[in-house]
Amino acid sequence: MLPSWCSPAPPRIGDKGQGKISADGWRVFCTVHVIVTLGCLWGSLPSNSRENQLFGNFCDLVSATKIASKRSITAVNVEEFGNSMLRYLHGLNKLFPMYQLIPYHHISLHLSELLFRFGPTTAWRCWVFERYNHMIQKIETNGRFGLCICIHNN
C-alpha cells in the first residue's frame, strides 16, 4: 500500500510513450518505489554481493538527496549529507572503475558548505539562476555567438 502523498510508479518508466515525468515524479519514483523494489530484490543478499553493494550505493544517493531537499536543516544534517555523498562517490568509483567521475560529482561535495551557509535548498536553489536566465534571454544578440556581452543595471 502506498501512503496518500505517494503517486503510483509509472508503469513503463523510461519508455518513449510514457510521456514526461516531473521532477517530483522522479523524486517519488527513486526515493520510494526504487528503494522498496531494490530492497526486496537485493537487500537480503550477502553484503559482499554486487547487487547488495549497488543497493547500498543507491541508498547513499537517496539519503543525500533527501537531506539536501529538506525544508529545514541542522548542522548534523549537513554533516550527514556530506558523509552520504562521499560514500556514494567512493561507491561509484569502486562499483564502476571503468568510468570517471565528472565535474558535477565534484560540485556535489561543495553542497555541504552551501547548506551550512545558506540553509535549506528550498530557500535558494533556483530562483536567482532563473532570474539571470530571464535577463540573458532579453539581450539582443542578432543570433551571433562569440560577442562580448556586458550586463548593465539600468
Side-chain angles (χ1 to χ4, degrees):
M1 288 187 58
L2 289 174
S4 60
W5 59 267
C6 185
S7 57
R12 296 164 34 134
I13 196 154
D15 281 0
K16 221 174 193 177
Q18 180 66 48
K20 288 186 105 55
I21 298 171
S22 69
D24 189 58
W26 279 111
R27 182 186 61 80
V28 170
F29 178 70
C30 291
T31 61
V32 176
H33 300 291
V34 174
I35 289 289
V36 170
T37 302
L38 291 180
C40 290
L41 294 173
W42 296 346
S44 61
L45 295 176
S47 60
N48 62 347
S49 71
R50 180 162 176 82
E51 291 85 358
N52 191 287
Q53 291 174 8
L54 288 166
F55 177 55
N57 188 249
F58 186 70
C59 286
D60 285 331
L61 176 62
V62 168
S63 175
T65 302
K66 286 183 117 178
I67 293 168
S69 58
K70 289 176 81 160
R71 292 190 181 270
S72 64
I73 200 160
T74 66
V76 171
N77 295 143
V78 172
E79 186 175 346
E80 289 171 352
F81 168 84
N83 293 337
S84 293
M85 188 54 67
L86 205 51
R87 276 194 315 273
Y88 168 70
L89 294 177
H90 281 298
L92 278 184
N93 269 338
K94 180 181 172 193
L95 293 164
F96 302 98
M98 67 293 275
Y99 298 108
Q100 291 185 356
L101 297 180
I102 61 174
Y104 287 114
H105 292 121
H106 172 83
I107 291 169
S108 70
L109 295 174
H110 292 285
L111 187 55
S112 292
E113 183 180 343
L114 297 174
L115 290 168
F116 185 76
R117 288 176 180 245
F118 302 121
T121 58
T122 53
W124 54 266
R125 63 179 164 217
C126 287
W127 68 269
V128 72
F129 303 110
E130 290 170 2
R131 177 75 178 137
Y132 277 117
N133 283 342
H134 178 70
M135 289 168 51
I136 290 170
Q137 287 171 351
K138 292 173 86 176
I139 296 172
E140 292 291 328
T141 62
N142 201 19
R144 294 180 289 177
F145 294 101
L147 298 175
C148 178
I149 300 173
C150 299
I151 300 174
H152 300 282
N153 291 337
N154 292 334

